[in-house]
Protein backbone atom coordinates (compact mmCIF):
# COMPACT_ATOMS: atom_id res chain seq x y z
CA UNK A 1 0.00 0.00 0.00
CA UNK A 2 1.29 3.44 -0.97
CA UNK A 3 -1.10 6.15 0.24
CA UNK A 4 1.25 9.14 0.18
CA UNK A 5 3.90 10.27 -2.26
CA UNK A 6 6.19 12.67 -0.45
CA UNK A 7 7.77 15.16 -2.85
CA UNK A 8 9.82 17.49 -0.68
CA UNK A 9 7.31 19.44 1.43
CA UNK A 10 4.41 18.17 -0.70
CA UNK A 11 2.45 15.11 0.47
CA UNK A 12 0.52 13.90 -2.57
CA UNK A 13 -2.42 11.58 -1.97
CA UNK A 14 -1.69 8.71 -4.35
CA UNK A 15 -5.28 7.33 -4.47
CA UNK A 16 -6.59 10.74 -5.57
CA UNK A 17 -3.80 11.12 -8.09
CA UNK A 18 -4.63 7.73 -9.61
CA UNK A 19 -8.30 8.71 -9.96
CA UNK A 20 -7.31 11.97 -11.70
CA UNK A 21 -5.08 10.00 -14.07
CA UNK A 22 -8.01 7.64 -14.65
CA UNK A 23 -10.21 10.56 -15.70
CA UNK A 24 -7.57 11.73 -18.16
CA UNK A 25 -6.89 8.27 -19.65
CA UNK A 26 -10.60 7.43 -19.73
CA UNK A 27 -11.53 10.63 -21.53
CA UNK A 28 -8.65 10.27 -23.98
CA UNK A 29 -9.81 6.77 -24.88
CA UNK A 30 -13.48 7.73 -25.01
CA UNK A 31 -13.06 10.78 -27.23
CA UNK A 32 -11.51 8.68 -30.00
CA UNK A 33 -14.69 6.69 -30.48
CA UNK A 34 -17.36 9.23 -29.49
CA UNK A 35 -17.95 10.56 -33.04
CA UNK A 36 -18.74 7.04 -34.28
CA UNK A 37 -21.65 7.01 -31.82
CA UNK A 38 -22.84 10.42 -32.92
CA UNK A 39 -21.47 12.37 -29.95
CA UNK A 40 -19.20 15.34 -30.67
CA UNK A 41 -15.95 15.38 -28.68
CA UNK A 42 -16.73 18.85 -27.31
CA UNK A 43 -20.13 17.68 -26.12
CA UNK A 44 -18.51 14.71 -24.42
CA UNK A 45 -15.99 16.89 -22.56
CA UNK A 46 -18.69 19.39 -21.58
CA UNK A 47 -20.84 16.56 -20.27
CA UNK A 48 -18.06 15.03 -18.17
CA UNK A 49 -16.69 18.31 -16.80
CA UNK A 50 -20.16 19.65 -16.06
CA UNK A 51 -20.85 16.43 -14.17
CA UNK A 52 -17.59 16.75 -12.22
CA UNK A 53 -18.12 20.44 -11.41
CA UNK A 54 -21.74 19.89 -10.37
CA UNK A 55 -20.61 16.88 -8.37
CA UNK A 56 -18.09 18.93 -6.38
CA UNK A 57 -20.58 21.76 -5.76
CA UNK A 58 -23.32 19.32 -4.75
CA UNK A 59 -20.93 17.42 -2.48
CA UNK A 60 -20.06 20.62 -0.60
CA UNK A 61 -23.65 21.95 -0.59
CA UNK A 62 -24.79 18.74 1.04
CA UNK A 63 -22.59 19.50 4.07
CA UNK A 64 -23.56 23.18 4.13
CA UNK A 65 -27.27 22.27 4.20
CA UNK A 66 -26.74 19.71 6.96
CA UNK A 67 -24.52 21.90 9.14
CA UNK A 68 -25.53 25.52 8.33
CA UNK A 69 -24.54 26.99 11.71
CA UNK A 70 -21.00 25.60 11.43
CA UNK A 71 -20.53 27.18 8.00
CA UNK A 72 -22.07 30.48 9.19
CA UNK A 73 -19.44 30.52 11.97
CA UNK A 74 -16.68 29.58 9.48
CA UNK A 75 -17.71 30.98 6.07
CA UNK A 76 -14.19 30.45 4.66
CA UNK A 77 -14.77 26.70 5.04
CA UNK A 78 -17.35 26.88 2.23
CA UNK A 79 -14.44 27.01 -0.22
CA UNK A 80 -12.10 24.84 1.85
CA UNK A 81 -9.97 22.42 -0.13
CA UNK A 82 -10.58 19.64 2.41
CA UNK A 83 -11.93 16.61 0.52
CA UNK A 84 -13.46 15.49 3.82
CA UNK A 85 -16.08 18.21 3.35
CA UNK A 86 -17.40 16.58 0.17
CA UNK A 87 -20.38 14.27 0.55
CA UNK A 88 -20.43 11.55 -2.12
CA UNK A 89 -24.22 11.12 -2.12
CA UNK A 90 -24.92 14.84 -2.48
CA UNK A 91 -22.27 15.08 -5.17
CA UNK A 92 -23.59 12.12 -7.14
CA UNK A 93 -27.15 13.46 -7.03
CA UNK A 94 -26.12 16.93 -8.22
CA UNK A 95 -23.88 15.49 -10.97
CA UNK A 96 -26.70 13.23 -12.16
CA UNK A 97 -29.19 16.12 -12.32
CA UNK A 98 -26.70 18.39 -14.13
CA UNK A 99 -25.86 15.70 -16.71
CA UNK A 100 -29.53 14.95 -17.34
CA UNK A 101 -30.35 18.65 -17.84
CA UNK A 102 -27.37 19.14 -20.16
CA UNK A 103 -28.24 16.00 -22.10
CA UNK A 104 -31.81 17.20 -22.60
CA UNK A 105 -30.67 20.65 -23.68
CA UNK A 106 -28.32 19.11 -26.23
CA UNK A 107 -30.89 16.50 -27.29
CA UNK A 108 -28.52 13.68 -26.46
CA UNK A 109 -30.09 10.26 -26.86
CA UNK A 110 -29.52 8.36 -23.62
CA UNK A 111 -28.34 4.98 -24.94
CA UNK A 112 -25.74 6.23 -27.46
CA UNK A 113 -24.46 8.62 -24.75
CA UNK A 114 -24.10 5.78 -22.25
CA UNK A 115 -22.39 3.64 -24.91
CA UNK A 116 -19.98 6.51 -25.55
CA UNK A 117 -19.17 6.79 -21.84
CA UNK A 118 -18.61 3.04 -21.41
CA UNK A 119 -14.83 3.06 -22.08
CA UNK A 120 -14.51 5.97 -19.63
CA UNK A 121 -16.36 3.99 -16.96
CA UNK A 122 -14.26 0.88 -17.67
CA UNK A 123 -11.01 2.85 -17.26
CA UNK A 124 -12.34 4.46 -14.06
CA UNK A 125 -13.05 0.98 -12.65
CA UNK A 126 -9.37 0.10 -13.18
CA UNK A 127 -8.33 3.42 -11.59
CA UNK A 128 -10.60 2.74 -8.61
CA UNK A 129 -9.01 -0.68 -8.09
CA UNK A 130 -5.54 0.87 -8.23
CA UNK A 131 -6.54 3.65 -5.84
CA UNK A 132 -7.84 1.02 -3.39
CA UNK A 133 -4.52 -0.80 -3.78
CA UNK A 134 -2.67 2.41 -2.91
CA UNK A 135 -4.85 3.30 0.08
CA UNK A 136 -5.46 -0.19 1.49
CA UNK A 137 -9.22 0.42 1.45
CA UNK A 138 -11.73 -2.17 0.23
CA UNK A 139 -9.65 -4.74 2.09
CA UNK A 140 -10.14 -8.49 2.08
CA UNK A 141 -11.09 -11.02 4.70
CA UNK A 142 -8.53 -13.10 6.56
CA UNK A 143 -7.06 -16.06 4.72
CA UNK A 144 -3.99 -18.28 4.77
CA UNK A 145 -3.90 -18.76 1.00
CA UNK A 146 -0.38 -18.56 -0.49
CA UNK A 147 -1.15 -15.24 -2.21
CA UNK A 148 -2.51 -13.58 0.94
CA UNK A 149 -1.07 -10.16 1.77
CA UNK A 150 -0.21 -8.74 5.17
CA UNK A 151 -2.56 -5.83 5.69
CA UNK A 152 -4.13 -4.14 8.71
CA UNK A 153 -2.74 -6.58 11.23
CA UNK A 154 -3.33 -9.91 9.50
CA UNK A 155 -3.03 -12.00 6.32
CA UNK A 156 -5.85 -11.05 3.94
CA UNK A 157 -7.26 -11.70 0.50
CA UNK A 158 -5.67 -9.08 -1.80
CA UNK A 159 -9.13 -7.87 -2.84
CA UNK A 160 -7.70 -4.63 -4.24
CA UNK A 161 -5.57 -6.69 -6.64
CA UNK A 162 -8.56 -8.91 -7.53
CA UNK A 163 -10.61 -5.77 -8.19
CA UNK A 164 -7.91 -4.25 -10.42
CA UNK A 165 -7.35 -7.48 -12.40
CA UNK A 166 -11.07 -7.96 -12.94
CA UNK A 167 -11.47 -4.34 -14.06
CA UNK A 168 -8.60 -4.88 -16.53
CA UNK A 169 -10.31 -8.00 -17.87
CA UNK A 170 -13.57 -6.06 -18.27
CA UNK A 171 -11.70 -3.21 -20.01
CA UNK A 172 -10.10 -5.74 -22.36
CA UNK A 173 -13.51 -7.25 -23.16
CA UNK A 174 -15.20 -3.90 -23.81
CA UNK A 175 -12.16 -2.36 -25.54
CA UNK A 176 -13.82 0.25 -27.77
CA UNK A 177 -11.71 -0.44 -30.84
CA UNK A 178 -13.46 -3.79 -31.38
CA UNK A 179 -15.72 -3.44 -34.40
CA UNK A 180 -18.30 -5.80 -32.88
CA UNK A 181 -19.32 -3.15 -30.32
CA UNK A 182 -20.59 -0.92 -33.13
CA UNK A 183 -22.80 -3.62 -34.61
CA UNK A 184 -25.29 -3.83 -31.73
CA UNK A 185 -28.31 -1.68 -31.07
CA UNK A 186 -27.59 1.43 -28.95
CA UNK A 187 -27.41 0.65 -25.24
CA UNK A 188 -26.34 -2.98 -25.54
CA UNK A 189 -22.63 -2.15 -25.24
CA UNK A 190 -23.24 -0.18 -22.03
CA UNK A 191 -25.66 -2.78 -20.64
CA UNK A 192 -23.18 -5.57 -21.33
CA UNK A 193 -20.46 -3.63 -19.51
CA UNK A 194 -22.77 -3.16 -16.51
CA UNK A 195 -23.77 -6.84 -16.57
CA UNK A 196 -20.22 -8.21 -16.46
CA UNK A 197 -19.04 -5.58 -13.97
CA UNK A 198 -22.00 -6.37 -11.69
CA UNK A 199 -21.40 -10.13 -12.01
CA UNK A 200 -17.74 -9.74 -11.05
CA UNK A 201 -18.63 -7.42 -8.14
CA UNK A 202 -21.22 -9.90 -6.90
CA UNK A 203 -18.53 -12.60 -6.94
CA UNK A 204 -15.64 -10.59 -5.47
CA UNK A 205 -17.62 -8.94 -2.68
CA UNK A 206 -17.60 -12.32 -0.93
CA UNK A 207 -13.88 -11.88 -0.23
CA UNK A 208 -14.19 -8.38 1.27
CA UNK A 209 -13.95 -7.74 4.99
CA UNK A 210 -15.50 -4.27 4.90
CA UNK A 211 -18.92 -5.16 3.51
CA UNK A 212 -21.94 -3.32 4.81
CA UNK A 213 -24.33 -6.02 6.03
CA UNK A 214 -28.08 -6.44 5.79
CA UNK A 215 -29.75 -8.58 8.48
CA UNK A 216 -26.30 -9.15 9.94
CA UNK A 217 -25.17 -11.65 7.28
CA UNK A 218 -25.97 -10.50 3.72
CA UNK A 219 -23.62 -8.13 1.93
CA UNK A 220 -25.51 -5.09 0.64
CA UNK A 221 -23.14 -4.59 -2.31
CA UNK A 222 -24.05 -8.07 -3.55
CA UNK A 223 -27.75 -7.15 -3.50
CA UNK A 224 -27.08 -3.97 -5.46
CA UNK A 225 -24.87 -5.88 -7.91
CA UNK A 226 -27.52 -8.57 -8.36
CA UNK A 227 -30.19 -5.96 -9.13
CA UNK A 228 -27.83 -4.19 -11.58
CA UNK A 229 -27.11 -7.55 -13.22
CA UNK A 230 -30.84 -8.35 -13.54
CA UNK A 231 -31.67 -4.90 -14.97
CA UNK A 232 -28.80 -5.00 -17.47
CA UNK A 233 -29.69 -8.51 -18.69
CA UNK A 234 -33.29 -7.37 -19.09
CA UNK A 235 -32.13 -4.22 -20.91
CA UNK A 236 -30.00 -6.28 -23.31
CA UNK A 237 -33.02 -8.46 -24.17
CA UNK A 238 -35.26 -5.43 -24.71
CA UNK A 239 -32.70 -3.46 -26.73
CA UNK A 240 -31.80 -6.45 -28.90
CA UNK A 241 -35.47 -6.88 -29.76
CA UNK A 242 -35.62 -3.34 -31.16
CA UNK A 243 -35.25 -2.61 -34.83
CA UNK A 244 -31.73 -1.55 -35.80
CA UNK A 245 -31.38 2.25 -35.96
CA UNK A 246 -29.78 2.06 -39.45
CA UNK A 247 -32.85 0.32 -40.89
CA UNK A 248 -35.10 2.70 -38.97
CA UNK A 249 -33.27 5.64 -40.48
CA UNK A 250 -33.61 4.30 -44.02
CA UNK A 251 -37.32 3.59 -43.65
CA UNK B 1 -33.73 -10.76 -31.53
CA UNK B 2 -35.36 -13.80 -33.09
CA UNK B 3 -37.91 -15.57 -30.85
CA UNK B 4 -35.64 -18.64 -30.36
CA UNK B 5 -32.64 -16.53 -29.49
CA UNK B 6 -34.80 -14.42 -27.22
CA UNK B 7 -35.93 -17.55 -25.35
CA UNK B 8 -32.32 -18.70 -25.03
CA UNK B 9 -31.32 -15.30 -23.69
CA UNK B 10 -34.10 -15.35 -21.10
CA UNK B 11 -33.06 -18.86 -20.04
CA UNK B 12 -29.38 -17.88 -19.77
CA UNK B 13 -30.32 -14.74 -17.82
CA UNK B 14 -32.41 -16.73 -15.37
CA UNK B 15 -29.57 -19.21 -14.87
CA UNK B 16 -27.09 -16.38 -14.26
CA UNK B 17 -29.41 -14.71 -11.76
CA UNK B 18 -30.12 -17.97 -9.92
CA UNK B 19 -26.37 -18.66 -9.73
CA UNK B 20 -25.84 -15.10 -8.47
CA UNK B 21 -28.51 -15.48 -5.79
CA UNK B 22 -26.98 -18.82 -4.74
CA UNK B 23 -23.58 -17.13 -4.43
CA UNK B 24 -25.08 -14.37 -2.27
CA UNK B 25 -26.43 -17.11 0.01
CA UNK B 26 -23.23 -19.18 0.03
CA UNK B 27 -21.01 -16.17 0.69
CA UNK B 28 -22.98 -14.90 3.67
CA UNK B 29 -20.72 -13.16 6.14
CA UNK B 30 -19.86 -15.09 9.25
CA UNK B 31 -20.10 -13.12 12.52
CA UNK B 32 -17.21 -10.71 13.00
CA UNK B 33 -15.72 -11.36 9.55
CA UNK B 34 -16.65 -8.09 7.89
CA UNK B 35 -15.22 -5.43 10.12
CA UNK B 36 -11.88 -4.67 11.59
CA UNK B 37 -13.32 -6.26 14.71
CA UNK B 38 -10.93 -6.26 17.62
CA UNK B 39 -7.82 -6.15 15.46
CA UNK B 40 -5.82 -2.99 16.13
CA UNK B 41 -4.75 -1.24 12.91
CA UNK B 42 -4.38 2.42 11.91
CA UNK B 43 -7.23 2.32 9.43
CA UNK B 44 -10.90 3.27 9.36
CA UNK B 45 -13.08 0.60 10.97
CA UNK B 46 -10.32 -0.88 13.13
CA UNK B 47 -9.52 -0.60 16.80
CA UNK B 48 -7.08 2.28 17.37
CA UNK B 49 -3.69 0.76 18.30
CA UNK B 50 -2.97 1.32 21.95
CA UNK B 51 -0.07 3.37 23.25
CA UNK B 52 1.17 5.07 26.39
CA UNK B 53 3.11 8.33 26.22
CA UNK B 54 4.23 10.99 28.60
CA UNK B 55 2.59 14.40 28.38
CA UNK B 56 4.22 17.80 28.66
CA UNK B 57 3.11 17.88 32.31
CA UNK B 58 4.88 14.60 33.09
CA UNK B 59 1.72 12.52 33.29
CA UNK B 60 1.48 9.22 31.35
CA UNK B 61 -1.59 8.84 29.16
CA UNK B 62 -2.76 5.48 27.80
CA UNK B 63 -5.14 5.55 24.85
CA UNK B 64 -7.16 2.49 25.89
CA UNK B 65 -7.80 4.06 29.31
CA UNK B 66 -9.70 6.84 27.55
CA UNK B 67 -12.29 4.44 26.08
CA UNK B 68 -15.74 6.01 26.34
CA UNK B 69 -14.50 9.42 25.17
CA UNK B 70 -14.52 10.42 21.50
CA UNK B 71 -11.13 11.81 20.60
CA UNK B 72 -8.69 12.85 17.94
CA UNK B 73 -5.13 11.59 17.88
CA UNK B 74 -3.19 14.20 15.94
CA UNK B 75 0.41 13.51 14.91
CA UNK B 76 2.37 16.71 14.42
CA UNK B 77 5.79 18.34 14.43
CA UNK B 78 6.82 21.94 15.10
CA UNK B 79 8.51 22.33 11.68
CA UNK B 80 5.40 21.17 9.82
CA UNK B 81 3.62 24.16 8.24
CA UNK B 82 0.15 22.55 7.88
CA UNK B 83 0.37 21.44 11.56
CA UNK B 84 0.99 25.05 12.49
CA UNK B 85 -1.90 26.23 10.31
CA UNK B 86 -4.50 23.85 11.75
CA UNK B 87 -3.51 23.94 15.44
CA UNK B 88 -5.53 27.09 16.35
CA UNK B 89 -8.68 25.42 14.97
CA UNK B 90 -7.92 22.32 17.08
CA UNK B 91 -7.69 24.50 20.18
CA UNK B 92 -10.99 26.31 19.46
CA UNK B 93 -12.81 23.05 18.71
CA UNK B 94 -11.41 21.41 21.85
CA UNK B 95 -12.65 24.31 23.99
CA UNK B 96 -16.04 24.16 22.34
CA UNK B 97 -16.64 20.42 22.87
CA UNK B 98 -14.47 19.40 25.85
CA UNK B 99 -17.41 19.67 28.25
CA UNK B 100 -19.16 16.95 26.25
CA UNK B 101 -16.23 14.58 26.87
CA UNK B 102 -14.32 15.26 23.66
CA UNK B 103 -10.53 15.08 23.85
CA UNK B 104 -7.58 15.78 21.60
CA UNK B 105 -4.28 13.95 22.02
CA UNK B 106 -1.65 15.93 20.16
CA UNK B 107 1.23 13.53 19.67
CA UNK B 108 4.43 15.35 18.81
CA UNK B 109 6.59 13.10 16.65
CA UNK B 110 9.60 14.05 18.76
CA UNK B 111 11.79 11.50 16.99
CA UNK B 112 11.59 13.84 13.98
CA UNK B 113 11.45 17.06 16.00
CA UNK B 114 13.15 18.87 18.82
CA UNK B 115 11.67 18.74 22.32
CA UNK B 116 12.28 22.43 23.04
CA UNK B 117 10.80 23.48 19.68
CA UNK B 118 7.76 21.30 20.36
CA UNK B 119 7.27 22.84 23.80
CA UNK B 120 7.64 26.35 22.36
CA UNK B 121 5.08 25.50 19.66
CA UNK B 122 2.53 24.35 22.26
CA UNK B 123 3.12 27.50 24.29
CA UNK B 124 2.91 29.80 21.27
CA UNK B 125 -0.56 28.50 20.39
CA UNK B 126 -1.67 28.26 24.03
CA UNK B 127 -2.71 24.63 23.61
CA UNK B 128 -4.75 23.34 26.51
CA UNK B 129 -5.27 19.74 25.39
CA UNK B 130 -2.68 17.06 26.25
CA UNK B 131 0.59 17.26 24.30
CA UNK B 132 2.33 13.88 24.18
CA UNK B 133 5.92 13.27 23.16
CA UNK B 134 6.70 10.32 20.91
CA UNK B 135 10.41 10.42 21.60
CA UNK B 136 11.20 6.96 20.18
CA UNK B 137 8.84 7.23 17.20
CA UNK B 138 6.83 4.23 18.46
CA UNK B 139 3.40 5.79 17.89
CA UNK B 140 4.39 7.17 14.51
CA UNK B 141 5.52 3.64 13.55
CA UNK B 142 2.46 1.96 15.12
CA UNK B 143 0.15 4.30 13.21
CA UNK B 144 2.17 3.91 9.99
CA UNK B 145 2.33 7.66 9.66
CA UNK B 146 3.56 8.63 6.20
CA UNK B 147 2.96 12.39 6.37
CA UNK B 148 2.40 15.12 8.93
CA UNK B 149 -0.05 16.12 10.16
CA UNK B 150 -2.17 12.99 10.34
CA UNK B 151 -5.35 12.90 12.41
CA UNK B 152 -7.26 9.82 13.59
CA UNK B 153 -10.89 10.35 14.62
CA UNK B 154 -11.67 7.73 17.23
CA UNK B 155 -15.14 6.99 18.60
CA UNK B 156 -16.19 6.11 22.15
CA UNK B 157 -15.59 2.41 21.45
CA UNK B 158 -12.01 3.06 20.42
CA UNK B 159 -12.74 2.42 16.72
CA UNK B 160 -11.09 4.67 14.14
CA UNK B 161 -13.86 6.39 12.17
CA UNK B 162 -11.68 8.40 9.83
CA UNK B 163 -8.05 9.10 9.04
CA UNK B 164 -7.13 12.48 7.59
CA UNK B 165 -3.64 12.59 6.14
CA UNK B 166 -2.22 16.05 5.54
CA UNK B 167 -3.69 19.41 6.34
CA UNK B 168 -4.58 21.96 7.33
CA UNK B 169 -8.08 20.83 8.21
CA UNK B 170 -10.71 23.55 8.21
CA UNK B 171 -12.50 24.32 11.44
CA UNK B 172 -15.81 23.32 9.84
CA UNK B 173 -14.48 19.87 9.01
CA UNK B 174 -13.18 19.43 12.54
CA UNK B 175 -16.45 20.54 14.13
CA UNK B 176 -18.56 18.34 11.85
CA UNK B 177 -16.45 15.26 12.56
CA UNK B 178 -16.45 15.94 16.31
CA UNK B 179 -20.24 16.34 16.30
CA UNK B 180 -20.54 13.07 14.37
CA UNK B 181 -18.28 11.36 16.93
CA UNK B 182 -20.32 12.76 19.83
CA UNK B 183 -23.59 11.68 18.24
CA UNK B 184 -22.37 8.12 17.54
CA UNK B 185 -23.81 5.69 20.03
Amino acid sequence: MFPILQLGPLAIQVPGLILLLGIWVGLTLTERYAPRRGIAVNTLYNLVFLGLAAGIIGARLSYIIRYPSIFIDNPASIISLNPGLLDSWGGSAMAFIAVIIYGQKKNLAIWPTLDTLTPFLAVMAVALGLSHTASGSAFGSETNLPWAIELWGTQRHPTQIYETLVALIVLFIVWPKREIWFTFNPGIYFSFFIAISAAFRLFLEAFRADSVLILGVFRSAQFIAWIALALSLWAIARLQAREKPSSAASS
Amino acid sequence: MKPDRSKHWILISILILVAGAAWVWVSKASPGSTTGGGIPAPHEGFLAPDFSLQTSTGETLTLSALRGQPLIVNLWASWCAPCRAEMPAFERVFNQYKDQGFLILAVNVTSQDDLSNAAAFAEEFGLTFPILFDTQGEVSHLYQSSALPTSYFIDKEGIIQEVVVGGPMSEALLRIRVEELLNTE
Side-chain angles (χ1 to χ4, degrees):
Chain A
M1 306 300 139
F2 193 62
I4 299 290
L5 177 65
Q6 193 78 45
L7 290 178
L10 273 181
I12 295 169
Q13 310 265 355
V14 177
L17 185 67
I18 291 171
L19 290 176
L20 282 177
L21 281 173
I23 291 173
W24 174 62
V25 173
L27 278 178
T28 305
L29 181 66
T30 302
E31 71 168 26
R32 293 176 62 182
Y33 301 95
R36 281 194 69 179
R37 296 193 184 277
I39 308 281
V41 172
N42 273 348
T43 308
L44 172 75
Y45 272 91
N46 288 343
L47 187 76
V48 171
F49 284 111
L50 183 77
L52 288 173
I56 291 169
I57 293 168
R60 182 57 53 87
L61 269 179
S62 173
Y63 267 113
I64 295 170
I65 291 165
R66 279 157 58 201
Y67 297 95
S69 62
I70 290 179
F71 284 92
I72 289 168
D73 291 347
N74 305 277
S77 295
I78 292 171
I79 52 162
S80 154
L81 294 175
N82 293 156
L85 282 178
L86 298 172
D87 171 51
S88 55
W89 287 105
S92 305
M94 186 74 124
F96 180 75
I97 292 167
V99 165
I100 292 289
I101 292 172
Y102 181 78
Q104 287 200 332
K105 274 189 84 171
K106 292 285 174 186
N107 289 323
L108 293 176
I110 188 150
W111 288 119
T113 307
L114 291 173
D115 284 341
T116 304
L117 289 172
T118 296
F120 175 73
L121 298 174
V123 170
M124 286 311 291
V126 177
L128 190 64
L130 288 171
S131 89
H132 285 155
T133 307
S135 68
S137 305
F139 52 87
S141 54
E142 287 184 56
T143 182
N144 50 16
L145 287 168
W147 59 86
I149 54 166
E150 170 76 28
L151 181 65
W152 309 133
T154 189
Q155 296 284 314
R156 297 181 180 278
H157 277 285
T159 41
Q160 303 91 345
I161 310 280
Y162 299 164
E163 183 186 351
T164 307
L165 289 177
V166 158
L168 282 168
I169 291 168
V170 172
L171 178 62
F172 175 76
I173 294 170
V174 302
W175 190 250
K177 198 178 176 186
R178 293 179 203 284
E179 203 54 41
I180 190 170
W181 296 124
F182 295 96
T183 63
F184 295 110
N185 279 340
I188 289 183
Y189 178 46
F190 170 76
S191 302
F192 180 75
F193 163 72
I194 295 293
I196 51 172
S197 299
F200 276 130
R201 180 65 199 269
L202 198 154
F203 177 67
L204 286 184
E205 184 68 19
F207 304 103
R208 291 268 290 264
D210 61 341
S211 302
V212 175
L213 299 182
I214 300 171
L215 301 175
V217 285
F218 295 109
R219 300 164 196 270
S220 59
Q222 285 186 321
F223 274 96
I224 295 167
W226 192 89
I227 291 166
L229 179 62
L231 287 175
S232 52
L233 291 173
W234 174 76
I236 291 170
R238 289 294 301 264
L239 293 165
Q240 191 64 20
R242 284 186 184 175
E243 203 177 332
K244 293 243 181 218
S246 52
S247 56
S250 60
S251 62
Chain B
M1 203 183 275
K2 288 177 182 172
D4 277 358
R5 287 176 67 187
S6 175
K7 276 182 188 170
H8 284 148
W9 181 255
I10 291 168
L11 190 66
I12 290 167
S13 298
I14 290 170
L15 285 174
I16 292 170
L17 291 173
V18 169
W23 180 246
V24 171
W25 181 265
V26 169
S27 62
K28 279 186 299 185
S30 52
S33 67
T34 58
T35 64
I39 302 172
H43 189 72
E44 191 183 311
F46 288 84
L47 193 64
D50 198 19
F51 61 83
S52 291
L53 287 177
Q54 211 164 44
T55 69
S56 51
T57 56
E59 181 189 1
T60 298
L61 274 183
T62 300
L63 181 68
S64 57
L66 301 167
R67 195 73 50 83
Q69 279 183 276
L71 53 89
I72 296 174
V73 171
N74 171 250
L75 304 187
W76 64 279
S78 62
W79 47 260
C80 150
C83 304
R84 177 169 285 275
E86 70 181 9
M87 215 45 106
F90 271 83
E91 177 62 23
R92 285 194 294 273
V93 171
F94 174 65
N95 282 317
Q96 191 166 3
Y97 294 98
K98 65 181 177 186
D99 292 341
Q100 296 174 57
F102 168 68
L103 188 61
I104 293 173
L105 299 182
V107 177
N108 173 254
V109 185
T110 322
S111 54
Q112 300 173 33
D113 204 352
D114 181 89
L115 203 57
S116 57
N117 288 346
F121 179 100
E123 199 178 319
E124 178 188 346
F125 289 104
L127 304 180
T128 54
F129 43 78
I131 310 293
L132 296 88
F133 296 107
D134 185 22
T135 50
Q136 304 300 314
E138 288 165 37
V139 174
S140 147
H141 178 71
L142 193 64
Y143 277 74
Q144 298 172 19
S145 161
S146 50
L148 293 177
T150 300
S151 297
Y152 302 84
F153 292 80
I154 301 169
D155 70 13
K156 295 170 191 168
E157 308 298 324
I159 305 294
I160 297 174
Q161 292 299 329
E162 187 172 358
V163 181
V164 176
V165 181
M169 265 189 283
S170 68
E171 192 167 334
L173 176 60
L174 273 170
R175 281 183 61 187
I176 288 168
R177 290 296 183 270
V178 171
E179 288 197 3
E180 285 171 349
L181 284 179
L182 287 166
N183 292 329
T184 305
E185 284 305 317

